[in-house]
Amino acid sequence: MKSFTRIGWVDMARGLCMTTIIWYHTESYYIDTHHVLPYQYVVVNVLCAFFFLSGMFVNKYANSSLYTHIKHIIKTLVVPYFVYALLTTLPKAFIHGNLISLNHLVFQIVAGKMSWFITALALAQVVFSAFLHVFKQRKILIGLACFSSFLLYTLIPFQPYNWWNVNQAFMLLPFLYMGYVYKSKPISLNVKSLVALSLLFTVLRCVEYRYDIQFFIYPLFHHYALIWLIDGLIGSLLLINIAHVLPSMSWLSYTGKHSLMCYFLCGGVPLIVAKSLQHLGLSYTGQYVSVLSVFVLNHSIILFIVYLWTRVVAFVRQYNAH
């Protein structure tokens, strides 16, 4: 199969997204009372940017069959989800003090509830790949299909069971399309565009704060479809612009390169670290500088686990090759 060269700024952008999410989870478990980094004003844009960046590479399999494309999605997203769910569900329930029945546990895993982001991304990619093949890569028709699906989602009642997080998948589907279009017709991003996008992003935030417009992806909540799309697009372009102008940082690029595995660890590691610190009498005391220290610890542990895992996988592959 054809190999694809990694793009430096894409790894940087994914690294920025993942770092923000690790910081958010650090606050969630270590402070446990409030957030300096608000989910509805920052984290939502990071999640939209993840979909945007994923959309840039969906055309890798555009000339292959739909079966091949879906098989790739299953291999890279669905299989890792089930491995993650089977390995971590019981330990997480034990740490949270929320041991549940086996039947409920199996339902949560099969229904895609153990990692809403991964399952929503997988489902959205399957839907988008179907559009890509049905409409023969005609961007206008694909766009109409994506935005019509999004509009349909906004009009129908909320799906309470939300299997494989179908609500979130259709809510974020337009950002896959935006990334797909951006890859074919990229715009010039530099310091001037960074200033312009930053100002626009700030104005949007002021308007949203003034009129109490809040966006949540999980749990799902939004009533301003057009503002949601504009907000997500501007936020994604701003993050990509930052990645373009930042000097290369090996730790950030490494985080982005292994963003999927980092995402699987970004909840469990901060939770275990926070519980351990509480047990040692090192709970949060109101000094926010301690959050920075715990964040660095969390991020370092996550990258170390990722490093060990990649070394083990590389060794196994080399051994099997012989």
Side-chain angles (χ1 to χ4, degrees):
M1 181 175 291
K2 181 182 177 181
S3 60
F4 296 92
T5 305
R6 300 200 69 86
I7 302 173
W9 69 262
V10 172
D11 284 339
M12 288 283 288
R14 285 176 171 160
L16 286 170
C17 291
M18 200 63 254
T19 299
T20 304
I21 293 174
I22 294 172
W23 189 290
Y24 176 80
H25 280 104
T26 298
E27 285 192 347
S28 296
Y29 295 121
Y30 182 58
I31 299 179
D32 200 33
T33 54
H34 66 279
H35 284 281
V36 173
L37 186 68
Y39 179 95
Q40 65 271 32
Y41 292 133
V42 179
V43 181
V44 167
N45 289 97
V46 166
L47 297 171
C48 291
F50 258 125
F51 271 71
F52 188 100
L53 291 166
S54 296
M56 290 177 56
F57 300 98
V58 292
N59 63 346
K60 287 197 301 184
Y61 292 84
N63 295 322
S64 304
S65 66
L66 179 59
Y67 170 78
T68 301
H69 200 168
I70 292 178
K71 193 168 108 174
H72 170 75
I73 295 169
I74 292 173
K75 179 182 177 181
T76 57
L77 291 174
V78 178
V79 171
Y81 161 76
F82 279 110
V83 172
Y84 162 79
L86 291 170
L87 290 177
T88 64
T89 298
L90 281 177
K92 285 173 67 175
F94 177 77
I95 294 172
H96 280 291
N98 184 30
L99 293 176
I100 50 182
S101 70
L102 181 60
N103 288 340
H104 182 69
L105 180 64
V106 171
F107 170 78
Q108 290 289 98
I109 294 174
V110 172
K113 303 295 184 181
M114 305 315 300
S115 178
W116 76 264
F117 176 79
I118 300 301
T119 52
L121 179 60
L123 182 57
Q125 285 199 10
V126 168
V127 173
F128 191 88
S129 66
F131 291 158
L132 193 66
H133 286 81
V134 168
F135 297 116
K136 308 297 183 183
Q137 303 183 51
R138 295 184 179 91
K139 292 183 177 62
I140 294 178
L141 293 179
I142 295 171
L144 286 173
C146 288
F147 285 99
S148 296
S149 300
F150 171 80
L151 181 61
L152 179 64
Y153 146 75
T154 64
L155 296 176
I156 62 175
F158 180 82
Q159 303 300 305
Y161 291 104
N162 199 19
W163 285 82
W164 274 69
N165 296 285
V166 60
N167 294 299
Q168 283 80 7
F170 278 91
M171 182 181 182
L172 290 161
L173 188 59
F175 295 102
L176 279 178
Y177 175 73
M178 293 176 192
Y180 171 67
V181 173
Y182 177 84
K183 180 64 182 298
S184 63
K185 296 182 179 180
I187 60 176
S188 178
L189 295 173
N190 47 41
V191 176
K192 290 183 179 179
S193 61
L194 177 61
V195 173
L197 286 168
S198 298
L199 289 174
L200 189 54
F201 187 77
T202 302
V203 170
L204 275 171
R205 282 293 170 271
C206 291
V207 171
E208 290 163 10
Y209 182 80
R210 170 66 178 82
Y211 294 99
D212 195 27
I213 299 173
Q214 299 185 16
F215 302 122
F216 292 88
I217 300 178
Y218 196 88
L220 190 65
F221 173 78
H222 83 94
H223 296 296
Y224 303 89
L226 181 59
I227 298 178
W228 154 260
L229 292 173
I230 296 173
D231 182 276
L233 175 60
I234 297 302
S236 298
L237 290 175
L238 175 59
L239 187 139
I240 289 172
N241 203 153
I242 293 172
H244 268 92
V245 301
L246 274 180
S248 180
M249 303 179 197
S250 57
W251 66 271
L252 195 59
S253 294
Y254 189 83
T255 302
K257 182 179 178 181
H258 300 284
S259 57
L260 180 64
M261 189 170 179
C262 288
Y263 186 85
F264 284 136
L265 296 168
C266 74
V269 169
L271 172 62
I272 293 171
V273 169
K275 293 289 185 181
S276 301
L277 291 175
Q278 291 170 10
H279 182 73
L280 294 172
L282 298 173
S283 300
Y284 181 66
T285 59
Q287 301 297 321
Y288 194 78
V289 67
S290 64
V291 177
L292 175 60
S293 301
V294 176
F295 161 74
V296 172
L297 176 62
N298 287 335
H299 205 154
S300 300
I301 292 173
I302 289 171
L303 291 185
F304 181 66
I305 294 173
V306 170
Y307 174 78
L308 290 180
W309 176 257
T310 55
R311 293 300 91 199
V312 169
V313 170
F315 174 79
V316 171
R317 286 177 176 173
Q318 186 176 15
Y319 180 81
N320 289 334
H322 293 294

